[in-house]
Amino acid sequence: MDSFIAALTIFVLAIFVGFEVITKVPPILHTPLMSGSNAISGITIIGSIIAAGAKYTTLAAILGVTAVTFATINVVGGFLVTHRMLQMFQKPKTDQKEKKKS
Amino acid sequence: MPQAFVNIAYLISSTLFIFALKGLSHPRTAVRGNLLGALGMLIAIVVTLMDKSIVSYELIILGFILGSAIGAISALKVPMTSMPQMVAIFNGFGGGASTLVAALAFIEAIELNKAMGTQETVATVASGLIGAVTFWGSMVAFAKLEGLIEERPIRYKGEQIVKIIFALASIIFGIIFGMEKNMNYYWYLVATSSILGVLLTIPIGGADMPVVISLLNSYSGLAACATGFVLNNNVLIISGSLVGASGIILTNLMCKAMNRSLTNVLFGGFGEIVAETDEDKVYGGKIKSASPEEIAMLLENARRVVIVPGYGMAVSQAQFAVRDLMKVLESKGIEVEFAIHPVAGRMPGHMNVLLAEANIPYEKLKEMDEINPTFEQTDVSIVIGANDVVNPLARTDSNSPIAGMPILDVDKSKTVVVIKRSLAPGFAGIPNPLFAADNTLMLFGDAKKMVQELINALKES
């Protein structure tokens, strides 16, 4: 029971932190916010790693490898695509710098 | 490795995730934020790989290779216009992974004869349910956005009852699973929840997609969170809550931007209502169509121009042409800004990403509340492929399906130019009196082609 209350406390506090941080994200970055937070939700990868490595049963091994694959797609794809988008938001700034130099 | 060390590493990861989201509060800090998030994930993965219950690494490596290849190729190849379906499908994989991890935790408990407490059991059911709904809901959203299945709402008689039956069935299987602790019931639960996920998304169409995608984003976070309760793992709980909160905030914003409740979006049956207003009454004889040359002349004399992009711009990939138009206008000393409606496009922030891709500085992208008061000082507003978000009926007709929806007040500018293929209605299925207004000129044709013709006409003059 104690561990449940501790987990619940963390859950509730994390939701408050989430609300505080995310309400400060401007609308122009909402798409990267979605893909970026999506990558973070790929944290289930750590659960899947242990399950795939422990190999309890054949079924568990198959499910494990599927779970690792799904979560890795989520993590790798999510962070990469977010990076790609965010760099586009930076480009105009470098353009202006170049103009100033020339 | 001592468990305390692992937990401290997870705490560092959680902190980095919070910094990642904090970085997104400004485009300047966002790239660094995202890299911090990736670093947090790397730390969590590396620490987990040292777990003592791992007996072999082949399967893990196989999963890494497969997942990285699929993830990286799709992330690098996807065109910015297809970002909504990309995010939808990634969400789905996250939800799917949560469902599987919860199942695996249960198998482990059986194999090792570990007792499962109430917390773990309830959380396993929640992971299975939310994860499966997320996975299949996202697959349907992906298929709709990709045009693989009908994008318009698919509705049938008694659909609400069918949904309730599947929701109840999932919960009942969940309860039996909790009492019997039998794996089969978990799979029955996953099966009914999967069907529920499909049923919940199928009836929701095109322009409501921003809400659906935000909601699925939130679900994928909640599924991860539930898995955290299964495994008693804090980093999962924290990350899941952050993502869940993010999705809920976005869902709420999108609903507000359409002046509709979430229930109405999910169960409402929007867009299927046949317009009662006679199109002829609104448009009859009042539509003024103009040539690119005429509009170019108009633009020549303007001092301030506002461009309003909509989903039509994304469909015709016109963002680069729009950038060139902006450059030409600016070279003539005309002030150009962009007005972005929160639900323009198919996901939150969709238009901003497209315009950023075309190298338009983000300072020029203005939110609705910021730009609306400036339309009265705007000489020409150019609406490119947007419809419902500029429909003045939202302000004037309280019986309209979009009544009360906040819109961009383009009709207040001196002249409105609407680039559109035809007079076909938008997602709301209603005619738009803006097209027939005295100060509106229609430029019929494909967005990209018409913008290019405008540029040519401007350059010649």
Side-chain angles (χ1 to χ4, degrees):
Chain A
M1 197 62 194
D2 276 351
S3 76
F4 172 67
I5 300 294
L8 193 66
T9 310
I10 289 168
F11 171 65
V12 173
L13 293 180
I15 287 201
F16 276 103
V17 173
F19 269 88
E20 280 306 309
V21 174
I22 286 144
T23 41
K24 297 204 173 64
V25 178
I28 69 161
L29 290 181
H30 275 169
T31 300
L33 168 66
M34 294 196 76
S35 60
S37 63
N38 187 225
I40 292 176
S41 76
I43 187 70
T44 33
I45 194 167
I46 64 171
S48 64
I49 287 173
I50 296 181
K55 277 198 187 165
Y56 294 112
T57 60
T58 319
L59 174 69
I62 296 169
L63 295 179
V65 81
T66 317
V68 175
T69 310
F70 277 8
T72 312
I73 295 176
N74 209 208
V75 168
V76 174
F79 280 119
L80 264 183
V81 86
T82 310
H83 188 73
R84 222 183 115 198
M85 273 190 274
L86 290 175
Q87 276 197 319
M88 294 188 313
F89 282 96
Q90 292 214 315
K91 267 187 212 158
K93 218 176 65 185
T94 51
D95 270 4
Q96 283 159 8
K97 267 184 203 161
E98 279 161 21
K99 268 180 207 160
K100 268 178 204 164
K101 271 180 206 162
S102 56
Chain B
M1 191 182 303
Q3 192 58 36
F5 181 81
V6 174
N7 286 339
I8 286 175
Y10 284 162
L11 178 61
I12 295 170
S13 294
S14 310
T15 317
L16 287 170
F17 292 152
I18 294 171
F19 276 120
L21 294 172
K22 219 171 137 53
L24 281 173
S25 59
H26 197 281
R28 267 198 309 270
T29 53
V31 172
R32 195 184 56 206
N34 187 53
L35 291 175
L36 287 177
L39 176 69
M41 190 62 76
L42 186 69
I43 294 175
I45 292 172
V46 169
V47 169
T48 310
L49 283 173
M50 296 174 194
D51 191 282
K52 58 181 181 311
S53 57
I54 296 176
V55 291
S56 78
Y57 285 91
E58 303 108 43
L59 289 179
I60 300 174
I61 292 168
L62 178 66
F64 278 170
I65 294 172
L66 281 175
S68 306
I70 300 171
I73 291 170
S74 34
L76 295 174
K77 286 252 158 109
V78 62
M80 288 300 141
T81 40
S82 308
M83 204 46 76
Q85 46 266 54
M86 183 85 202
V87 169
I89 203 160
F90 280 172
N91 269 330
F93 286 129
S98 295
T99 300
L100 296 176
V101 172
L104 286 160
F106 182 69
I107 294 176
E108 185 196 69
I110 294 175
E111 289 294 315
L112 301 182
N113 267 324
K114 270 202 286 191
M116 268 181 80
T118 320
Q119 176 197 329
E120 286 79 12
T121 315
V122 173
T124 305
V125 171
S127 295
L129 206 159
I130 305 172
V133 168
T134 313
F135 183 79
W136 286 104
S138 302
M139 292 303 141
V140 173
F142 171 81
K144 281 192 172 229
L145 289 161
E146 190 69 27
L148 301 175
I149 55 174
E150 179 59 51
E151 203 194 13
R152 286 199 82 82
I154 300 166
R155 298 204 169 259
Y156 47 91
K157 230 181 151 194
E159 57 164 293
Q160 309 304 352
I161 298 165
V162 178
K163 282 182 221 165
I164 291 170
I165 290 173
F166 276 97
L168 281 178
S170 306
I171 294 171
I172 291 168
F173 282 130
I175 294 172
I176 304 177
F177 167 78
M179 293 189 303
E180 304 272 323
K181 300 270 161 59
N182 180 331
M183 195 67 200
N184 286 340
Y185 289 104
Y186 183 78
W187 295 123
Y188 298 151
L189 155 81
V190 169
T192 46
S193 310
S194 300
I195 299 171
L196 183 65
V198 174
L199 292 175
L200 283 172
T201 325
I202 278 276
I204 304 174
D208 281 344
M209 275 301 159
V211 179
V212 178
I213 296 184
S214 312
L215 196 64
L216 289 169
N217 189 38
S218 169
Y219 287 169
S220 77
L222 294 177
C225 203
T227 313
F229 278 97
V230 175
L231 304 173
N232 264 312
N233 186 317
N234 290 340
V235 68
L236 277 173
I237 297 178
I238 295 172
S239 327
S241 321
L242 293 174
V243 179
S246 155
I248 289 168
I249 291 174
L250 290 174
T251 309
N252 203 4
L253 280 177
M254 294 301 112
C255 286
K256 268 200 193 132
M258 295 194 290
N259 190 39
R260 293 165 59 203
S261 69
L262 182 58
T263 348
N264 181 275
V265 175
L266 294 182
F267 306 106
F270 196 72
E272 50 162 10
I273 317 149
V274 182
E276 280 173 33
T277 358
D278 191 10
E279 286 198 7
D280 278 349
K281 229 186 261 168
V282 179
Y283 296 147
K286 288 185 225 160
I287 300 288
K288 294 185 294 292
S289 156
S291 70
E293 288 74 23
E294 289 169 272
I295 292 166
M297 258 157 43
L298 194 72
L299 289 170
E300 286 278 328
N301 297 316
R303 268 180 307 167
R304 179 181 154 82
V305 170
V306 172
I307 298 177
V308 182
Y311 187 56
M313 184 190 81
V315 172
S316 87
Q317 301 265 14
Q319 65 270 34
F320 296 98
V322 168
R323 187 254 335 262
D324 295 340
L325 177 64
M326 174 193 87
K327 291 258 159 85
V328 174
L329 290 173
E330 283 184 337
S331 71
K332 293 177 187 282
I334 302 163
E335 179 194 2
V336 183
E337 282 187 331
F338 292 82
I340 315 286
H341 193 278
V343 291
R346 287 292 184 265
M347 76 183 294
H350 193 185
M351 289 301 127
N352 297 298
V353 170
L354 292 182
L355 296 173
E357 182 192 16
N359 243 338
I360 293 167
Y362 57 76
E363 293 89 356
K364 290 190 180 296
L365 314 178
K366 301 291 181 194
E367 289 168 43
M368 179 165 61
D369 294 341
E370 199 182 338
I371 198 128
N372 261 347
T374 71
F375 278 113
E376 278 171 29
Q377 289 94 49
T378 302
D379 299 301
V380 184
S381 291
I382 309 177
V383 179
I384 305 176
N387 190 346
D388 295 333
V389 297
V390 291
N391 192 337
L393 278 183
R395 286 196 310 253
T396 53
D397 180 4
S398 56
N399 294 322
S400 158
I402 58 167
M405 168 170 145
I407 58 157
L408 291 162
D409 300 326
V410 286
D411 53 329
K412 291 187 178 155
S413 47
K414 285 200 191 76
T415 312
V416 185
V417 173
V418 179
I419 304 180
K420 216 174 165 304
R421 283 169 198 271
S422 66
L423 286 172
F427 183 65
I430 49 169
N432 190 341
L434 174 75
F435 304 158
D438 291 337
N439 57 341
T440 300
L441 293 170
M442 299 296 294
L443 178 54
F444 289 111
D446 173 72
K448 190 174 171 185
K449 194 160 162 267
M450 286 304 128
V451 171
Q452 260 151 4
E453 285 187 19
L454 268 183
I455 297 169
N456 292 341
L458 276 167
K459 278 184 178 159
E460 277 164 24
S461 61

